[in-house]
């Protein structure tokens, strides 16, 4: 027994020695996947590791990290972490909701320190919606960042600002832009991913991003975003728009409609549109084909879609006819409004009605299905055009009565199809 115990201790010591002898760059790579707290705990493994945590190139200062140290104030904790740190800080995440607005000037000092310490990824997160937004200091605009994530901040660059030339991803949530003519141009030549969420003040923003692959606009005033510059993003692969509310008219500085916009992105793979954006860019004549076929488009989704709206129906048909290699189609339907009439069923009925062959379409999902004549005819037409569908899910709106939902299911089951039987559910 004693021999076995001693042998076990020796094996444990051998494993510990292997950890102790790891090169410092390997230890730092391990620490990049840890929080500050977890990296600090590593110091108990070996005396050699006692101060290694202080060279962790990734610092994550979250609410939980500070709450566990009630004996010190939040600012004192962060000051101590930065004071004891040595070596570059490549990644820095700070939850600014912990800092009272009257003390935002302290964050300015931290940003100044980080700007001189090798920073490449900055995240300023604010979980409290009502907090006073934090105004980015001028020091941030001079950093060669590769990733920038901002929440509840004010973006007002100095006149000398010429853009983030190394930036690869930019995510902005509840960011207020305060721009003038001198600061309205944002040059991001290496940007791949861009997202706006609930941002305001975008009217003058003019973006140059020729390498852009993904553009997402969520709950913003879409009429205030200049879409013209994005038409030059020929490499765009993902475009998603969820508008904040209905837009009264197309306020773009140049004539842009849905056909012209989508025809600018021949490599598009994923597309998500909502009804407000479609109405915003509707030209009243989108029944034909795009000037450039979307041969790479695999995933198409429409949110808050209304089959009783002619512009939306024509837009859907236009995109479908221009996307022969589509693999997935998702339609989340809007609630039927009282007094709304159906569009002309000739869009989906008759011998000459075709939307193309979809030999690659594998999945169809329709949510909040109401069973209107137009909806039913569309499903029939699509089933006849997609012989290799593997998954067909149609969720009937819960406002539809049980008996009516049963009738809808029976009618859909009768449609001729060579693929799987549609799965109709009462949601």
């Amino acid at each position: 027994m004693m021999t076995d115990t001693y042998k076990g201790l020796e094996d444990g010591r051998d494993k510990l020695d292997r950890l102790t002898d790891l090169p410092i760059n390997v230890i730092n790579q391990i620490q990049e996947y840890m929080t500050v707290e977890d990296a600090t705990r590593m110091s108990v493994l070996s005396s050699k590791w006692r101060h290694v945590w202080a060279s962790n190139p990734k610092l994550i200062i979250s609410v939980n990290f500070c709450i566990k140290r009630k004996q010190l104030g939040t600012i004192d904790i962060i000051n101590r972490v930065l004071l004891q740190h040595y070596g570059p800080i490549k990644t820095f995440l700070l939850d600014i909701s912990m800092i009272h607005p009257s003390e935002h000037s302290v964050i300015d000092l931290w940003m100044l320190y980080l700007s001189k310490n090798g920073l490449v990824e900055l995240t300023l997160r604010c979980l409290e919606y009502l907090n006073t937004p934090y105004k980015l200091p001028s020091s941030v605009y001079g950093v060669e960042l590769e990733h920038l994530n901002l929440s509840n901040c004010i973006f007002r660059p100095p006149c000398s600002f010429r853009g983030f030339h190394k930036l690869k991803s930019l995510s902005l949530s509840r960011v207020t832009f305060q721009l003038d003519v001198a600061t309205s141009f944002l040059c991001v030549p290496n940007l791949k991913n861009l997202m706006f969420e609930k941002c305001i003040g975008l009217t003058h923003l003019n973006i140059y991003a020729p390498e852009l692959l993904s553009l997402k606009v969520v709950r913003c005033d879409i009429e205030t975003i200049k879409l013209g510059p994005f038409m030059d993003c020929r490499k765009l692969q993902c475009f998603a728009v969820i508008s904040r509310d209905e837009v009264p008219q197309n306020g773009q500085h140049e004539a842009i409609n849905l056909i012209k916009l989508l025809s600018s992105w021949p490599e598009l793979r994923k597309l998500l549109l909502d009804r407000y954006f479609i109405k915003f860019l509707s030209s009243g004549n989108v029944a034909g084909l795009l000037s450039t076929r979307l041969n790479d488009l695999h995933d198409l989704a429409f949110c808050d879609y209304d089959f009783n709206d002619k512009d939306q129906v024509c837009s859907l048909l236009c995109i479908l006819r221009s996307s022969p290699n589509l693999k997935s189609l998702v339609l989340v339907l809007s609630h039927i409004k009282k007094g709304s009439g159906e569009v002309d069923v000739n869009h989906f009925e008759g011998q000459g009605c075709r939307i193309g062959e979809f030999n690659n379409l594998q999945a169809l999902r329709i949510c909040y299905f109401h069973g209107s004549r137009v909806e039913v005819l569309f499903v029939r037409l699509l089933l006849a055009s997609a012989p290799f569908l593997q998954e067909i899910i149609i969720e009937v709106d819960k406002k539809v009565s049980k008996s009516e939902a049963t009738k809808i299911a029976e009618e859909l089951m009768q449609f001729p199809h060579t693929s799987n039987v549609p799965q109709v559910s009462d949601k």
Side-chain angles (χ1 to χ4, degrees):
M1 291 290 293
M2 291 292 292
T3 304
D4 292 341
T5 302
Y6 181 73
K7 183 179 180 181
L9 289 172
E10 275 199 326
D11 289 342
R13 187 180 295 113
D14 181 57
K15 292 177 182 179
L16 185 60
D17 288 341
R18 288 186 218 168
L19 288 173
T20 303
D21 293 334
L22 284 175
I24 188 67
N25 64 312
V26 175
I27 297 174
N28 284 337
Q29 288 179 12
I30 295 173
Q31 291 179 335
E32 286 186 15
Y33 297 94
M34 298 181 174
T35 63
V36 177
E37 187 174 25
D38 290 337
T40 306
R41 288 172 178 165
M42 289 176 64
S43 62
V44 303
L45 296 177
S46 166
S47 58
K48 187 178 177 181
W49 284 41
R50 186 165 300 162
H51 302 290
V52 170
W53 73 269
S55 63
N56 187 354
K58 182 176 181 179
L59 295 183
I60 298 178
I61 311 295
S62 64
V63 173
N64 290 335
F65 176 76
C66 293
I67 287 177
K68 293 177 181 178
R69 290 154 180 78
K70 295 181 180 180
Q71 69 274 16
L72 293 173
T74 298
I75 292 177
D76 289 335
I77 294 171
I78 300 174
N79 279 334
R80 289 195 179 195
V81 170
L82 293 177
L83 184 63
Q84 295 179 49
H85 192 277
Y86 60 89
I89 299 176
K90 296 181 179 180
T91 300
F92 186 76
L93 183 151
L94 172 66
D95 195 320
I96 58 178
S97 60
M98 301 183 296
I99 312 298
H100 192 272
S102 63
E103 297 178 307
H104 277 180
S105 58
V106 178
I107 306 179
D108 294 349
L109 295 176
W110 297 336
M111 294 299 105
L112 180 61
Y113 170 76
L114 293 168
S115 68
K116 301 176 181 179
N117 215 15
L119 188 66
V120 295
E121 180 174 354
L122 174 63
T123 298
L124 297 178
R125 184 174 63 191
C126 183
L127 302 178
E128 298 295 333
Y129 181 78
L130 297 177
N131 269 20
T132 302
Y134 169 65
K135 181 182 176 181
L136 288 179
S138 58
S139 59
V140 172
Y141 299 100
V143 183
E144 293 185 337
L145 292 169
E146 294 183 9
H147 306 279
L148 179 59
N149 307 289
L150 301 177
S151 173
N152 199 30
C153 292
I154 295 175
F155 191 94
R156 187 177 182 178
C159 294
S160 59
F161 181 62
R162 293 295 177 265
F164 295 108
H165 294 276
K166 291 188 177 182
L167 201 65
K168 296 177 182 178
S169 67
L170 178 61
S171 178
L172 306 171
S173 176
R174 291 183 283 114
V175 170
T176 300
F177 286 85
Q178 295 181 353
L179 306 172
D180 52 30
V181 176
T183 60
S184 61
F185 183 69
L186 181 59
C187 181
V188 278
N190 291 298
L191 191 67
K192 305 291 185 183
N193 301 297
L194 173 61
M195 186 182 77
F196 297 104
E197 181 182 4
K198 298 180 181 179
C199 295
I200 59 176
L202 299 168
T203 306
H204 301 293
L205 183 61
N206 195 345
I207 295 180
Y208 173 72
E211 300 297 317
L212 195 64
L213 298 179
S214 175
L215 173 61
K216 299 177 182 179
V217 183
V218 182
R219 305 299 179 192
C220 296
D221 291 328
I222 189 65
E223 76 275 15
T224 67
I225 298 178
K226 287 185 178 180
L227 296 174
F230 294 114
M231 295 176 68
D232 295 327
C233 301
R234 304 288 294 179
K235 298 180 181 180
L236 197 71
Q237 297 178 2
C238 175
F239 180 59
V241 176
I242 301 294
S243 304
R244 190 180 71 176
D245 206 344
E246 191 159 0
V247 183
Q249 61 182 359
N250 188 338
Q252 297 295 311
H253 296 290
E254 56 181 292
I256 299 176
N257 57 31
L258 191 64
I259 289 182
K260 189 177 291 186
L261 190 67
L262 295 182
S263 295
S264 302
W265 302 324
E267 298 182 17
L268 202 61
R269 296 181 182 178
K270 295 183 179 182
L271 178 62
L272 187 155
L273 303 175
D274 75 343
R275 64 169 178 166
Y276 296 129
F277 182 76
I278 295 173
K279 295 293 289 183
F280 174 60
L281 291 183
S282 173
S283 63
N285 183 24
V286 289
L289 289 169
L290 303 179
S291 59
T292 301
R293 287 170 71 83
L294 301 176
N295 291 319
D296 292 329
L297 187 63
H298 292 166
D299 300 293
L300 175 63
F302 279 72
C303 182
D304 202 14
Y305 187 80
D306 187 359
F307 271 105
N308 295 324
D309 186 288
K310 179 181 177 182
D311 290 330
Q312 294 184 57
V313 170
C314 290
S315 297
L316 174 60
L317 293 177
C318 173
I319 296 174
L320 287 176
R321 288 174 179 140
S322 304
S323 310
N325 299 314
L326 199 64
K327 293 183 178 180
S328 170
L329 175 62
V330 177
L331 299 176
V332 180
L333 306 187
S334 61
H335 295 293
I336 293 181
K337 298 179 181 178
K338 290 184 178 180
S340 62
E342 292 187 357
V343 300
D344 189 354
V345 295
N346 288 327
H347 286 295
F348 305 111
E349 205 169 30
Q351 289 183 341
C353 181
R354 291 183 61 82
I355 55 175
E357 295 292 333
F358 296 101
N359 293 325
N360 294 313
L361 191 62
Q362 300 173 7
L364 169 65
R365 188 183 189 102
I366 303 179
C367 303
Y368 305 112
F369 195 80
H370 311 112
S372 70
R373 186 63 181 162
V374 177
E375 294 173 5
V376 171
L377 288 175
F378 171 76
V379 172
R380 184 178 71 177
L381 182 62
L382 194 62
L383 290 179
S385 305
F388 301 109
L389 269 170
Q390 297 177 8
E391 182 181 63
I392 309 169
I393 299 177
I394 298 177
E395 300 176 358
V396 179
D397 192 336
K398 62 182 180 181
K399 292 185 178 180
V400 175
S401 65
K402 292 282 186 180
S403 59
E404 188 64 29
T406 302
K407 290 181 181 179
I408 293 173
E410 291 174 349
E411 184 174 11
L412 294 179
M413 295 295 183
Q414 294 175 1
F415 289 158
H417 47 76
T418 58
S419 54
N420 292 340
V421 177
Q423 178 184 337
V424 183
S425 60
D426 183 8
K427 291 289 185 180

